[in-house]
Amino acid sequence: MSDQNRLGVFKTYKLYVGGKFPRSESGRVYEVTDSKGQWLANAPQSSRKDARDAVVAARKAFGGWSGATAYNRGQVLYRVAEMLEGRKEQFVREVAASEGLSKSKAAAVVDAAIDRWVWYAGWTDKIGQISGGANPVAGPFFNLSTPEPTGVVTVLAPQKSSFLGLVSVIAPVIATGNTAVVIASADAPLPALSLGEVLATSDLPGGVVNILSGATAELAAPLAAHQDVNAIDLTGADAELAKELEIAAADNLKRVLRPLPAEADGSDASTDWLAAPGTHRLTAFLETKTVWHPTGALGASGSSY
């Protein structure tokens, strides 16, 4: 059969929740268009029920993921980068269409996103060295502080940077042992939904990352108020929505990561996602556990450590 007579197979984009690919329980979809307004695909429009299901999946996965060794988490994250490298052409096409970039610029963005993922993979077993350690105390005690993951984190992905910005907010959350419920860019969700396919075929346990698409405000409101969500990253929220979500998050004392000044309008148009990320996102969702332990004595002489 010639290509002229062949019907193309349109891709059906789905949510990524608990390691599976459900459609929205509401049955709703919405049209995703490119920068010129041309139709690209139908994306699932998540409901509040989908958001609650994602929290359940993230909580279920938290124990195993946070209990894994930091070295193992680094290996898993690196495997994700390997899978992204193998599907680079697909992401270049989706980023170019979603963000209105030329193929060469989209390729540079995708390369940067893959490199960013590798960068965070390398931090998994090193973050403890800069956010913990032994504390000097006046007395015969060891006093040790160690970082621990906060728990389930809701992440509002950047609205304009559909892939590099997305990776920049997801990778540091899970690198430190948290699990994530991600609300993809409302207007450009396709790279995020395709990322779910990569995560499903890597070694990342189901439920560690859950990806929802749809109206940001509709999904963020119940997640900010959810009693089993421990923290929220407001990067993809505009100033008005961020304020509302921060108030809701205070009900169970969630950790809140406010948008940077350049991100304050929710558009993140002026945010340089290509810049060195630093470690502030790695430490944003960590708790510090401090343990005291008596040093004890050695031998009859009474000498101590």
Side-chain angles (χ1 to χ4, degrees):
M1 182 184 292
S2 68
D3 290 341
Q4 291 181 345
N5 297 325
R6 182 178 180 276
L7 294 176
V9 179
F10 289 102
K11 181 174 180 177
T12 302
Y13 287 89
K14 298 180 182 178
L15 308 177
Y16 181 55
V17 177
K20 300 178 180 180
F21 296 95
R23 292 178 169 86
S24 172
E25 64 84 27
S26 67
R28 298 178 301 172
V29 298
Y30 69 102
E31 290 189 357
V32 178
T33 59
D34 63 15
S35 59
K36 298 179 181 178
Q38 296 180 329
W39 182 86
L40 291 175
N42 288 336
Q45 187 169 342
S46 306
S47 67
R48 294 188 174 208
K49 176 64 164 55
D50 295 318
R52 292 195 298 269
D53 289 345
V55 174
V56 171
R59 177 58 62 191
K60 184 177 180 180
F62 177 71
W65 183 242
S66 62
T69 65
Y71 177 72
N72 178 246
R73 288 199 298 269
Q75 289 179 308
V76 172
L77 263 67
Y78 187 81
R79 176 60 177 164
V80 174
E82 291 179 343
M83 302 297 289
L84 287 172
E85 186 77 24
R87 296 178 64 164
K88 185 162 61 174
E89 290 186 6
Q90 173 194 349
F91 282 100
V92 169
R93 291 195 303 271
E94 290 182 340
V95 170
S98 297
E99 301 181 24
L101 302 177
S102 65
K103 186 175 180 180
S104 60
K105 289 184 178 179
V109 167
V110 172
D111 284 342
I114 297 171
D115 292 346
R116 181 67 45 85
W117 199 281
V118 173
W119 192 83
Y120 279 117
W123 268 105
T124 57
D125 58 355
K126 301 174 183 66
I127 190 64
Q129 307 305 311
I130 67 169
S131 60
N135 308 309
V137 295
F141 302 98
F142 291 124
N143 183 265
L144 306 174
S145 294
T146 56
E148 293 190 343
T150 296
V152 175
V153 181
T154 292
V155 179
L156 277 62
Q159 296 297 330
K160 299 298 182 184
S161 185
S162 63
F163 190 52
L164 175 55
L166 175 78
V167 166
S168 298
V169 295
I170 294 179
V173 169
I174 64 173
T176 51
N178 297 290
T179 55
V181 176
V182 182
I183 303 175
S185 164
D187 293 331
L190 303 188
L193 298 177
S194 290
L195 177 63
E197 298 172 3
V198 172
L199 299 179
T201 52
S202 69
D203 298 325
L204 193 73
V208 173
V209 175
N210 305 275
I211 300 175
L212 307 173
S213 58
T216 300
E218 179 184 351
L219 296 172
L223 289 171
H226 200 297
Q227 296 298 298
D228 205 26
V229 172
N230 303 108
I232 185 167
D233 181 345
L234 299 175
T235 297
D238 59 32
E240 182 178 354
L241 178 60
K243 183 177 179 180
E244 294 175 3
L245 298 178
E246 192 167 0
I247 292 172
D251 191 46
N252 73 332
L253 303 180
K254 289 181 179 64
R255 280 183 174 266
V256 175
L257 181 61
R258 298 177 180 85
L260 297 173
E263 304 163 356
D265 63 351
S267 69
D268 64 272
S270 58
T271 303
D272 184 6
W273 291 106
L274 289 167
T279 59
H280 77 284
R281 289 190 178 276
L282 283 165
T283 58
F285 303 117
L286 287 175
E287 309 290 337
T288 300
K289 180 176 73 175
T290 300
V291 176
W292 293 72
H293 194 284
T295 58
L298 290 177
S301 64
S303 60
S304 60
Y305 288 105

